[in-house]
Amino acid sequence: MAGEELLVDVEGRTLRISNLDKVMYPATGTTKGEVLQYYARIAPTLLPHLTDRAVTRIRWPHGTGGSSFFEKNAPGGTPSWVRTVSVPTTGSRGESRHGDRLVFPVVDDLATLTWMANLAALELHVHQWRVGRNGRPRNADRIVIDLDPGDPAGLHECCQVALLVRERLAERGLEARPVTSGSKGLHLYATLPRRLAPADSTELAKQVAEELSAAHPRRVTAIMTKARRGGKVFLDWSQNAGSKTTITPYSLRGRERPYVAAPVSWSEVEAGAEDPLGLEQLRFEEVVERVEERGDLFADPS
């Protein structure tokens, strides 16, 4: 029943859950209850990747058929048990401030994840750095390169370019891990052998992108301007900046259908490079099944 509320115990925390029957994805009829169930089932795999990372949310109060908004600060009414971190910021877009800082929530447990999902926070975005025990941001512990295809290129072309990016990263002693974006492209992550200041990790990703753009100018671009991206794969290196975030692996996306930013294997990427239908974006039920059968493909190999 619309508006109905339930009091639910989640690992010792009492949460008020509402509107379980609300349709969040009109194209598939996927409800808020199904979203909550997905996050509960994927939590053991997702939570380790959120550990000590400040979380920016994108919320769809009326489902993906309605409007959405970014939320960085912990909102009013945040439970006292939700961990938060105060992070310096130079942004300006009307965020509520504590001096010159933003107060982000950190998702340490299933209760916090459930609280966020109940607020229609379908998408969870994180930085490439973690906070330390003192609550302060540390240097980046990984880099990410976002492969974004310009029409008419698609995931097939992203897979082909991903193999090139993997080679360039390997030359630098970095092992790339692929994640379908849940939208149109791919994300490639690599754990850094030592932490780097965000400016340095950004420069590293930019070097890879510009090298490949120079070597394959008809297929790859490192320039953000959309007019320059038609038919090419844009290697977005800028998401390594200290203030930038990327959708976390295993997060839902706020698209027409309930796709997920889903870790995949390199053999699947190679299949996608060979065959335009060899790899597709994955829905949430598929991701749960894959994790149950294959474990966490995003687990750090080191």
Side-chain angles (χ1 to χ4, degrees):
M1 179 184 300
E4 182 180 0
E5 293 187 345
L6 300 172
L7 292 179
V8 179
D9 181 275
V10 181
E11 297 183 339
R13 306 293 190 185
T14 300
L15 294 173
R16 192 179 299 274
I17 303 298
S18 62
N19 301 322
L20 292 176
D21 293 332
K22 177 184 285 186
V23 173
M24 302 302 292
Y25 293 87
T28 58
T30 304
T31 65
K32 184 177 178 182
E34 291 174 293
V35 168
L36 285 161
Q37 183 181 51
Y38 167 73
Y39 275 121
R41 294 181 68 183
I42 207 66
T45 307
L46 167 61
L47 288 174
H49 302 306
L50 292 176
T51 298
D52 294 333
R53 295 193 192 275
V55 178
T56 295
R57 293 82 61 212
I58 306 183
R59 293 172 56 181
W60 278 263
H62 305 292
T64 59
S67 61
S68 64
F69 63 94
F70 271 86
E71 187 172 55
K72 295 183 179 183
N73 274 309
T78 297
S80 60
W81 44 262
V82 171
R83 179 186 171 198
T84 60
V85 293
S86 179
V87 176
T89 180
T90 56
S92 61
R93 303 195 170 198
E95 294 283 357
S96 172
R97 278 181 168 64
H98 293 248
D100 58 349
R101 308 178 79 83
L102 290 170
V103 179
F104 289 90
V106 177
V107 183
D108 281 333
D109 50 36
L110 177 58
T112 303
L113 183 61
T114 302
W115 166 73
M116 282 189 179
N118 186 55
L119 294 178
L122 298 178
E123 292 194 6
L124 309 178
H125 294 242
V126 296
H127 308 87
Q128 309 317 313
W129 44 261
R130 300 179 189 264
V131 293
R133 293 181 180 178
N134 59 4
R136 296 176 182 174
R138 305 180 71 183
N139 283 334
D141 60 353
R142 68 187 186 193
I143 63 168
V144 63
I145 297 178
D146 177 4
L147 284 70
D148 185 10
D151 293 334
L155 186 56
H156 172 55
E157 288 76 13
C158 285
C159 288
Q160 294 174 334
V161 173
L163 300 178
L164 302 175
V165 176
R166 178 177 63 169
E167 291 178 1
R168 295 285 174 154
L169 290 174
E171 291 171 0
R172 293 165 166 82
L174 300 175
E175 183 173 350
R177 287 171 287 162
V179 177
T180 57
S181 70
S183 179
K184 297 187 297 182
L186 277 171
H187 297 156
L188 297 184
Y189 292 85
T191 300
L192 295 168
R194 61 181 179 85
R195 296 179 183 275
L196 293 177
D200 295 330
S201 61
T202 300
E203 181 61 27
L204 172 59
K206 183 179 180 182
Q207 288 175 2
V208 171
E210 291 182 341
E211 286 177 11
L212 286 172
S213 178
H216 305 275
R218 295 185 178 182
R219 302 168 62 188
V220 179
T221 180
I223 299 173
M224 192 172 296
T225 307
K226 288 191 175 182
R228 304 279 295 274
R229 289 158 58 178
K232 300 180 182 181
V233 174
F234 168 48
L235 298 183
D236 186 355
W237 44 267
S238 70
Q239 293 181 30
N240 297 281
S243 61
K244 294 288 190 71
T245 61
T246 306
I247 190 81
T248 189
Y250 296 109
S251 173
L252 280 163
R253 299 305 306 265
R255 305 295 176 179
E256 181 181 14
R257 298 177 184 276
Y259 291 120
V260 170
V264 294
S265 67
W266 278 110
S267 62
E268 290 175 303
V269 174
E270 290 164 359
E274 289 289 332
D275 181 353
L277 300 179
L279 181 63
E280 298 180 341
Q281 303 292 338
L282 297 168
R283 286 173 47 132
F284 68 155
E285 64 268 29
E286 296 175 294
V287 172
V288 170
E289 291 174 1
R290 285 165 60 89
V291 168
E292 290 175 348
E293 294 173 359
R294 305 171 64 177
D296 181 10
L297 293 179
F298 195 67
D300 191 337
S302 62

